[in-house]
Amino acid sequence: MRIGTSLALVDLDRQLPNRNQRECLYWWDELFEWIAAAGFSYIELPYQPKWDFGGRSGIPLSMRSIAVKDGDVAGFLTRLRGHGLAGISAVHLDPSLFFSSQLDRYFGAFEHFAMEALELAALSGAGTLTLTATPCVGDLRAAWPDSFLERTAALFSRMQAAAAPRNVRICLRNECWGLLAGEAAIPFLEGLHPEIRLDLDTAHLQISGVESAGFLRSHASRIGIVHLTDTRHRMTPGEEPGWIPEHPRSAATSMFRDVGTGDVDLVDFVDAMKETGFDGDVILDSRHAADVCRALLRMRRFALRHFEPLLAKPQESAGTAIDGRHAADALVAPATPSRKEA
Amino acid sequence: MENIRLSHMNHWKTIPYRTTPNFRDYFYEERSNLAYYSDWDRILRYHAATGYDGIEVAPWDLREMMALFGSPQAFSDFAAERGVAVSGMFHGAEGSHDPARREEVIAAGREAVDQIVAFGGRHMNMCPASNYYGVGPLSREAVATAADTISEIGRYATDHGVQIGLHNEFFCAINRENHHEFIALTDPRHVFYCLDTAQVALIGENILEFYERYHERICTLHLKDTAEAALPDAVRYAQDVEIRDDGHRWFWEPGEGTLDLEGLWRLMKKHAFKGWVTVETDGTPDLLASMALSSYHVKQVLGKIYR
């Protein structure tokens, strides 16, 4: 079992003060230091190729970004280790970005970028590639062919065939706003290759009306990886998710809360993990945290109570000095001093 | 009636709500400023409060905006109720230099024109080509292809009451060595220029000389400042150079850099510029503060020269 935290912690979609920092390599170097200082050795990487299209390679969430800034995955891992992290335990791709009424284009893009994400998972030694199974249900109403889930299943099968020889497990994520929310994922999963497992996300289950500890006790053999996430939200009956599903239409709210600040019974869930002998990877995930450092410390507090032997001791890292890897930076003066110099 | 109407280029990214009727409850979820940046009602009120008559829409936000509002007209009506008009939309003509992509680029350009018309906007401020890295240097044939393709889009635009404003960027494949040649090859009846003051200065142009030379074609501005000018080729042609690894900023609010914006305003007065000027504050750590600072400089400092 490896304890990690997800880079989904970082909200890149909202223009809140100081968001501009998050497009710069230096900020991610600092984040990696903070994550290590919070006691986490591993990260989950949300695979987000959309940043490729604006040349935002400072955001290390795609193979292109890694190639531009670090040369290759090995270079990226070296960089992570230089900041006190051991590596990447999981990669997650959500294909909702590609969704439109042109389903051939959706499935084509889904598989193309899933293969990129698989490449990253395989080369980095991440044991798991999680794929979000379906976009938001609200999106699908406009383009709802009966074949949608059949095509999704076929794609998962192809990904499984590609992943298995590379020692990567394919997991399915069933968000609360998708077609396979809650218990609906199980019959779909049973129709897939037996090595494909579920990525159990505690908050998504609870929002779907399913108690996550009980779900784990019932389906432990089908769970490949666990996301400990938190929420205070419940879907109201008949509520239709909006296009930005984590911001429900019913009222302005943030669907996800920092781990330990919602009302998911994560203590019972951890007990369920022990009872069932679950020993897969665990990701503590404070998605789109309002305050990244606060969220990391909250997750550390939770992890200290439940996973202390598995937490890393904060290590001396190589520091955050920019080493001039970006050729253009070196040619313009004055340079911004590194944190060590400042 | 003032000669200059102030617009702001939208860099607000994802705004998840139209309005927030439960504003106080939403605030108490985090007790933070998150609630202040979460709905278009407030964002547009900030525009009006800080002196902007207009907003320039960003194409990368369209999907989410349309999901919230249903149509460009609905957004424009919503904005108008708050005293803000849609001045136009940005567009990138990726691949314009490539004959094999001509039809694709023209189709995308026409679609963007249609969207601007639906918003009730006037300007399509267009980066004229792909980024330099991986594409440049462009041959003269490629420059001519790009000019021809843009002119074709321009004809469609003017037929529909929209003006293309070439919006060059310091990392674009149309760059210092072919900038003027490219402009000369475009059709002046249908292709105009959106002078981004910082971008053009970073390319190596003197913005006063540039304005004097092209004032008849400059239909609008993206107004921003910079503390550098005439970046060397190795910088302009580098990969993903728009965002620096160390957080160094290329762009600043008007008045916070070293450009002679007062000289530019004197020229705008000389040539009786009339129309939209869009403040663009990309790279800022605080969009609302930058909006306010910029508006103050335009109205209270530059406005003493020409308004």
Side-chain angles (χ1 to χ4, degrees), chain A residues 45-57:
Chain A
L45 195 146
Y47 198 81
Q48 296 185 356
K50 68 177 179 181
W51 306 110
D52 297 350
F53 302 108
R56 297 309 195 245
S57 50

Side-chain angles (χ1 to χ4, degrees), chain B residues 38 218 262 294:
Chain B
S38 295
I218 293 173
E262 295 183 24
S294 303

Side-chain angles (χ1 to χ4, degrees), chain B residues 10-228:
Chain B
N10 182 39
H11 284 286
W12 284 103
K13 304 280 186 281
T14 297
I15 305 294
Y17 296 106
R18 289 172 56 135
T19 62
T20 312
N22 61 324
F23 179 71
R24 291 192 298 273
D25 290 339
Y26 191 28
F27 165 78
Y28 281 119
E29 281 191 8
E30 280 290 341
R31 295 176 175 80
S32 75
N33 58 2
L34 185 70
Y36 286 79
Y37 300 104
S38 295
D39 67 75
W40 274 107
D41 173 39
R42 282 178 173 76
I43 297 298
L44 289 165
R45 282 196 265 159
Y46 300 153
H47 277 70
T50 52
Y52 293 90
D53 298 319
I55 182 171
E56 181 171 327
V57 175
W60 46 83
D61 297 327
L62 274 185
R63 178 175 159 140
E64 286 156 353
M65 288 174 68
M66 293 304 100
L68 282 178
F69 289 94
S71 71
Q73 179 72 58
F75 176 83
S76 295
D77 291 344
F78 186 89
E81 289 169 2
R82 290 148 182 84
V84 180
V86 176
S87 60
M89 186 171 78
F90 187 79
H91 181 71
E94 167 93 14
S96 65
H97 66 285
D98 183 353
R101 298 182 65 183
R102 174 182 163 82
E103 294 310 313
E104 168 204 332
V105 174
I106 289 172
R110 287 176 176 167
E111 184 180 344
V113 169
D114 292 343
Q115 288 167 338
I116 293 167
V117 171
F119 274 114
R122 170 77 173 152
H123 294 290
M124 184 157 96
N125 296 323
M126 177 193 284
C127 183
S130 306
N131 286 358
Y132 190 98
Y133 185 86
V135 169
L138 293 181
S139 66
R140 299 194 72 184
E141 289 74 21
V143 172
T145 297
D148 182 64
T149 300
I150 301 301
S151 295
E152 184 65 32
I153 300 170
R155 275 186 278 278
Y156 185 84
T158 52
D159 284 350
H160 292 80
V162 172
Q163 285 184 307
I164 285 181
L166 297 175
H167 174 285
N168 211 350
E169 297 177 358
F170 75 88
F171 42 87
C172 184
I174 300 295
N175 215 291
R176 183 187 296 163
E177 71 274 14
N178 53 24
H179 195 187
H180 297 281
E181 177 183 4
F182 175 77
I183 295 171
L185 287 172
T186 57
D187 188 335
R189 298 170 300 171
H190 302 294
V191 181
F192 304 90
Y193 205 96
C194 168
L195 174 57
D196 186 306
T197 46
Q199 296 276 14
V200 167
L202 290 167
I203 285 175
E205 303 281 1
N206 178 299
I207 62 170
L208 303 188
E209 291 174 6
F210 192 90
Y211 190 87
E212 188 65 50
R213 180 172 177 179
Y214 294 110
H215 66 89
E216 289 183 345
R217 294 186 70 177
I218 293 173
C219 62
T220 186
L221 279 74
H222 268 193
L223 182 66
K224 51 189 192 252
D225 214 333
T226 182
E228 292 141 290

